Amino acid sequence: MNHTSLPRRAAAELLGTGLLVAVVVGSGIAAERLSSDHGLRLLENSIATALGLAVLIVLLGPVSGAHFNPVITIADSLLRRDGAAAKDRAGAVTYIAAQLVGGIGGALLANAMFETPAAVSLHERATAATLLGEVVATAGLTLLVVGMTRAAHSLPAIACAVGAYIGAAYWFTSSTAFANPAVTLGRLFSDTFAGIAPLSAAFFLAAQLIGGAVGILLSVVLFPAPSLKEKTS
């Protein structure tokens, strides 16, 4: 159980999500300026995102658990079995609010660093194929985080695995694996390589929630949590 105060945990979630979106959007802007090849741009963007995410998890995991993602916060709240779970579910709302604010702030920060005007993106991404990709990407991420947590892997191991998964999912999913409502919301405010148009964002958010539900169900089946009685025996 994390005994860090809720304001400190929420601050870590806001900062971590903001920096994650800054990495995604900032590296996307840099890639767009450095290369005209779409594949090379995606490679540069995916490497920066994978490494940045792993670093942020290691840095802020001891403070907040490093969710940086409303879907992961929802999964954690629903699947926790310790005595404080019901009480801490109220804190999940604070986490999600911090993540959403951080996501928007991170996009605006990236725009400012590259002297790019803040604007709502016009990049349409939603198709049947990309929405399926978002379901797959989010389900896999949820299963990975919950499974590794329940298997008691170390924080550095989880950080490396999550970073590697997102780096890979950029390429094996048709959606380039947003897999995160807070990141999706943030990317809406940058009309750049990493941006997403409002209607596409709405569809992506729905797909991510479906993917999160699938990931939670798979986690329950594959990584059943010990009962409270077993934990205390």
Side-chain angles (χ1 to χ4, degrees):
M1 178 181 173
N2 191 335
H3 296 284
T4 306
S5 68
L6 180 58
R8 284 181 60 196
R9 287 184 281 139
E13 287 296 301
L14 188 151
L15 176 63
T17 309
L19 290 176
L20 172 59
V21 174
V23 169
V24 173
V25 174
S27 63
I29 295 171
E32 193 171 29
R33 293 182 180 180
L34 291 170
S35 175
S36 61
D37 181 84
H38 189 80
L40 185 55
R41 289 175 178 176
L42 188 62
L43 178 63
E44 293 161 350
N45 193 206
S46 63
I47 290 173
T49 300
L51 294 177
L53 178 56
V55 168
L56 289 170
I57 292 172
V58 171
L59 174 63
L60 297 173
V63 182
S64 68
H67 295 185
F68 310 150
N69 186 334
V71 170
I72 300 303
T73 297
I74 292 169
D76 177 70
S77 180
L78 291 176
L79 296 177
R80 286 181 59 188
R81 297 293 301 276
D82 60 75
K87 179 180 178 182
D88 201 50
R89 279 173 190 161
V93 176
T94 304
Y95 263 44
I96 292 172
Q99 292 157 0
L100 295 178
V101 172
I104 295 171
L108 297 178
L109 174 61
N111 289 336
M113 286 192 295
F114 286 90
E115 297 183 309
T116 298
V120 174
S121 177
L122 300 177
H123 192 164
E124 297 289 349
R125 294 177 180 267
T127 66
T130 57
L131 294 178
L132 177 59
E134 273 303 281
V135 172
V136 171
T138 311
L141 176 62
T142 304
L143 175 61
L144 174 64
V145 172
V146 174
M148 292 194 72
T149 300
R150 287 190 165 182
H153 286 279
S154 67
L155 182 63
I158 294 173
C160 290
V162 171
Y165 174 80
I166 291 298
Y170 256 83
W171 292 90
F172 79 76
T173 66
S174 56
S175 64
T176 67
F178 284 47
N180 184 332
V183 170
T184 303
L185 181 62
R187 291 170 72 164
L188 193 155
F189 292 93
S190 184
D191 191 20
T192 61
F193 177 77
I196 183 171
L199 184 58
S200 290
F203 283 116
F204 268 47
L205 291 172
Q208 290 157 6
L209 292 176
I210 293 170
V214 172
I216 289 171
L217 290 175
L218 290 173
S219 300
V220 170
V221 172
L222 297 175
F223 299 94
S227 66
L228 293 176
K229 182 177 180 180
E230 289 175 325
K231 284 186 174 184
T232 56
S233 61

